[in-house]
Amino acid sequence: MADFMYDKPFQIEKDSTKYRLLSSDYVKIVESDGRKILKVDPRGLQLLAKEAVSDLSFFLRTSHLEKLAAILDDPEATDNDRFVAYVMLRNTVISAKGELPWCQDTGTAIVIGKKGEDVWTGANDAEYLSKGIYETFRDKNLRYSQIVPLSIFEEKNTGTNLPAQIDIYSQEGNTYEFLIITKGGGSANKTLLYQQSKSLLNEESLTKFIKEKIKELGTSACPPYHLALVIGGTSAEATLKTVKEASAGYLDHLPVTGSAGGRAFRDIEWEKKIEKICHEYGVGAQFGGKYFVHDVRVIRLPRHAASCPVGLGVSCSADRNIKAKINEKGIFLEELERDPERFLPAKAPELEKPVEIDLDQPMKEVLAELTKYPVKTRLNLRGTLIVARDIAHARIKKMLDEEKPMPEYFKNHPVYYAGPAKTPQGMPSGSFGPTTAGRMDTYVELFQSLGGSLIMVAKGNRNRQVIESCEKYGGFYLGSIGGPAAILAAENIKSVEMVDFEDLGMEAIRKIRVENMAAFIITDDKGNDFFDEYNK
């Protein structure tokens, strides 16, 4: 048997984060048994969580915006790459005004705390952190997305966006460190676990595996991504926890070599290889190009001899991750970018003009116009859309099962899969970006067979049944830019009207009128699909 050895599993070598002081109140040092104890008034935790979730909703990291701006200057970027990056930068400028959140899916609040053993709060920390999160969702124009089960099938929206996920770990010392994330459903759903074996651990097998999984990842989580790949782990949950932290930039300063004690490390060589694979994939920043990812993190972990878990995950274009800490000097929060306008170019990138589509024509005429153009065509939409998501689709399906007719509004107008955030005073709409299209795939063939859902607008890829249904019934799926929702509310959505199922809250069916709303033809009426070119 080898000699005893202990390596700290995650040896973060430095913290280059720039912090701002929230408050020097709520903390003091007290002596106990010769130890310096950091006594924290739990109301300080409440303040920290409130400010962190507010900042995350409206501001992004400077490093993230630098990567977006670099796309505009890259001669290898396609027009579509540049168009998406430019819209995202403009969205950031609008969001930074503090009224419209960057993305309408303001996420599940996740708090990872590392609490020193010499930190004392004398309270249930998770309760006070939750209070702070609650206050932000109460006071800001965010969206309540948390659903709680009342029975195995019956559910209801909490109306607060609680509960949050709060995980608190113990460490040595008298500081309290935090990583706080607001994770939208699109990127959360792309946190993936693969139970592999030793046979994966060679260059040929790993390269093949990565190429396959990149194709499966798709665009529904709103690229360009910060991609994390974790190989190994003492358990499945250890692997996925590492994926989450790596995608949030929390593990950037790990060592770059392994050790006999099994410490986690970054593999810089494989990060570069996978970034190249992603650039060559061709899907790019949602609609064709180079920028499927901004960057890649590859973390290697120890494993049981019989197991090789592999985790894959992303932080999406709404890169909402923030660090915080409490020490004897006060409560500190990572400084996010407050002047995003400095990243905008002096003039918009010169792009080919989009095709103008008037949605207020009869459905037959809109379809006749769309059929003239190939997939990947950029459109400029104006007119009326019906807004409906998962629960509304399920309710209409129930009506059809009861032999009630398909609602006429589903036949007369395109359907936009979306769910808005709260509406700021004096504005027609809150942040109102597209939702993941795939969640509605099971309804499409039935609805189209009855004359509904013939034009669908959302984000991400669809399954083969939807593509075949569009070919059979003459339908189209149009892709809207996933992520930047503030700009849609500020510039494109001119009116919002409740139509049906008002009791469903943000899931209710609405009618909206839009102008200059960008979209791309993803699936046409001839059986063509944008993603087929890249996923052969």
Side-chain angles (χ1 to χ4, degrees):
M1 188 176 186
D3 293 338
F4 172 78
M5 178 184 294
Y6 176 78
D7 256 2
K8 188 176 180 180
F10 292 89
Q11 300 174 15
I12 298 174
E13 297 175 330
K14 64 178 180 178
D15 183 7
S16 57
T17 307
K18 291 183 179 179
Y19 292 93
R20 65 184 179 95
L21 177 67
L22 280 183
S23 175
S24 55
D25 299 330
Y26 306 109
V27 299
K28 66 178 179 179
I29 293 291
V30 297
E31 295 279 343
S32 177
D33 198 24
R35 299 168 71 166
K36 283 188 173 182
I37 305 298
L38 180 68
K39 189 175 180 181
V40 180
D41 184 327
R43 291 176 299 171
L45 299 176
Q46 188 172 333
L47 172 68
L48 184 152
K50 179 180 179 179
E51 293 297 319
V53 173
S54 179
D55 278 11
L56 284 174
S57 301
F58 300 101
F59 306 103
L60 296 175
R61 284 173 166 161
T62 302
S63 58
H64 176 81
L65 297 179
E66 287 171 343
K67 290 180 181 295
L68 268 180
I71 295 173
L72 299 178
D73 296 326
D74 185 353
E76 294 182 355
T78 63
D79 269 10
N80 288 347
D81 279 334
R82 281 191 284 270
F83 177 71
V84 170
Y86 181 67
V87 170
M88 288 179 175
L89 286 169
R90 290 188 60 227
N91 190 73
T92 308
V93 172
I94 292 168
S95 178
K97 295 175 183 177
E99 288 291 328
L100 293 164
W102 205 95
C103 176
Q104 83 287 342
D105 184 350
T106 44
T108 298
I110 300 168
V111 181
I112 300 172
K114 308 286 179 68
K115 187 178 185 180
E117 61 178 347
D118 290 333
V119 176
W120 183 60
T121 61
N124 181 343
D125 293 5
E127 180 179 357
Y128 279 86
L129 291 164
S130 295
K131 283 182 181 179
I133 294 163
Y134 169 85
E135 289 176 350
T136 292
F137 275 86
R138 178 195 65 196
D139 298 341
K140 301 292 184 177
N141 299 312
L142 310 185
R143 194 179 83 182
Y144 307 138
S145 299
Q146 299 308 307
I147 309 295
V148 291
L150 304 178
S151 68
I152 196 166
F153 298 123
E154 186 185 3
E155 299 178 312
K156 66 171 287 189
N157 192 304
T158 63
T160 63
N161 214 61
L162 295 177
Q165 178 187 332
I166 299 176
D167 301 322
I168 300 175
Y169 300 85
S170 177
Q171 63 181 10
E172 70 277 7
N174 64 352
T175 62
Y176 206 157
E177 300 171 355
F178 299 88
L179 171 64
I180 301 172
I181 303 168
T182 48
K183 193 78 167 171
S187 60
N189 294 343
K190 294 302 179 181
T191 304
L192 306 168
L193 177 72
Y194 307 96
Q195 294 289 9
Q196 298 295 300
S197 68
K198 169 67 176 173
S199 63
L200 182 71
L201 301 180
N202 62 79
E203 183 149 357
E204 182 180 353
S205 297
L206 184 57
T207 301
K208 180 182 177 184
F209 173 87
I210 289 163
K211 287 182 177 179
E212 289 173 355
K213 301 313 175 191
I214 291 301
K215 289 180 180 180
E216 292 173 9
L217 196 58
T219 61
S220 60
C222 310
Y225 299 131
H226 300 279
L227 181 73
L229 178 76
V230 177
I231 301 172
T234 48
S235 66
E237 62 270 24
T239 303
L240 293 182
K241 173 178 171 290
T242 306
V243 168
K244 182 175 290 179
E245 293 183 348
S247 68
Y250 190 71
L251 303 178
D252 280 3
H253 297 298
L254 285 179
V256 294
T257 59
S259 72
R263 70 184 184 189
F265 68 93
R266 280 181 63 185
D267 192 309
I268 304 300
E269 181 183 353
W270 271 95
E271 289 178 0
K272 292 176 180 176
K273 287 181 180 179
I274 296 172
E275 186 172 326
K276 186 171 185 287
I277 289 170
C278 291
H279 286 169
E280 292 174 349
Y281 175 33
V283 166
Q286 304 189 30
F287 303 109
K290 174 181 176 182
Y291 282 96
F292 190 63
V293 299
H294 285 302
D295 49 38
V296 178
R297 295 293 178 265
V298 176
I299 311 293
R300 190 66 166 89
L301 300 178
R303 65 184 184 89
H304 185 282
S307 306
C308 185
V310 177
L312 186 69
V314 299
S315 183
C316 67
S317 58
D319 184 43
R320 297 180 302 210
N321 312 286
I322 194 167
K323 294 167 71 174
K325 63 183 179 180
I326 304 176
N327 59 30
E328 61 186 71
K329 294 181 180 179
I331 300 170
F332 296 86
L333 193 60
E334 181 178 351
E335 183 68 74
L336 302 183
E337 180 57 55
R338 299 288 171 140
D339 182 24
E341 197 162 2
R342 66 192 178 95
F343 292 102
L344 278 176
K347 64 176 185 175
E350 294 183 5
L351 308 171
E352 287 189 24
K353 289 186 177 181
V355 174
E356 300 288 336
I357 300 292
D358 180 3
L359 301 177
D360 285 334
Q361 301 176 90
M363 177 60 70
K364 194 171 184 180
E365 293 181 24
V366 182
L367 294 170
E369 185 66 18
L370 289 174
T371 198
K372 299 175 183 177
Y373 302 100
V375 294
K376 283 209 282 192
T377 298
R378 183 159 63 94
L379 310 173
N380 201 26
L381 307 180
R382 69 178 185 277
T384 304
L385 293 160
I386 288 294
V387 179
R389 292 195 349 151
D390 311 47
I391 298 176
H393 276 70
R395 193 171 283 190
I396 290 174
K397 168 69 162 54
K398 186 173 183 291
M399 290 168 54
L400 298 176
D401 291 343
E402 294 168 351
E403 299 186 351
K404 296 176 183 176
M406 166 73 71
E408 287 299 311
Y409 53 71
F410 249 65
K411 298 180 181 181
N412 296 335
H413 304 289
V415 57
Y416 179 42
Y417 302 155
K422 286 186 280 189
T423 302
Q425 190 171 1
M427 296 188 68
S429 169
S431 292
F432 211 156
T435 252
T436 302
R439 299 209 307 271
M440 271 54 72
D441 283 0
T442 57
Y443 303 100
V444 171
E445 184 169 10
L446 173 62
F447 285 17
Q448 288 190 339
S449 72
L450 298 172
S453 294
L454 288 175
I455 302 174
M456 302 161 286
V457 184
K459 65 171 181 171
N461 46 302
R462 309 303 294 264
N463 67 24
R464 182 53 53 183
Q465 287 72 29
V466 170
I467 297 165
E468 292 171 355
S469 181
C470 285
E471 182 178 17
K472 182 176 181 180
Y473 297 108
F476 288 83
Y477 165 51
L478 312 181
S480 180
I481 300 176
I487 195 170
L488 285 167
E491 298 183 358
N492 305 117
I493 297 173
K494 300 304 178 181
S495 66
V496 180
E497 173 189 342
M498 189 68 67
V499 171
D500 215 346
F501 311 151
E502 188 170 358
D503 61 299
L504 297 182
M506 71 95 170
E507 294 268 5
I509 293 181
R510 294 169 169 84
K511 182 186 289 186
I512 65 173
R513 186 173 60 83
V514 302
E515 292 180 8
N516 299 317
M517 181 177 174
F520 294 77
I521 298 176
I522 302 298
T523 304
D524 69 11
D525 58 348
K526 306 170 189 67
N528 300 309
D529 185 80
F530 163 73
F531 292 95
D532 284 348
E533 178 183 345
Y534 306 104
N535 291 342
K536 292 175 183 176

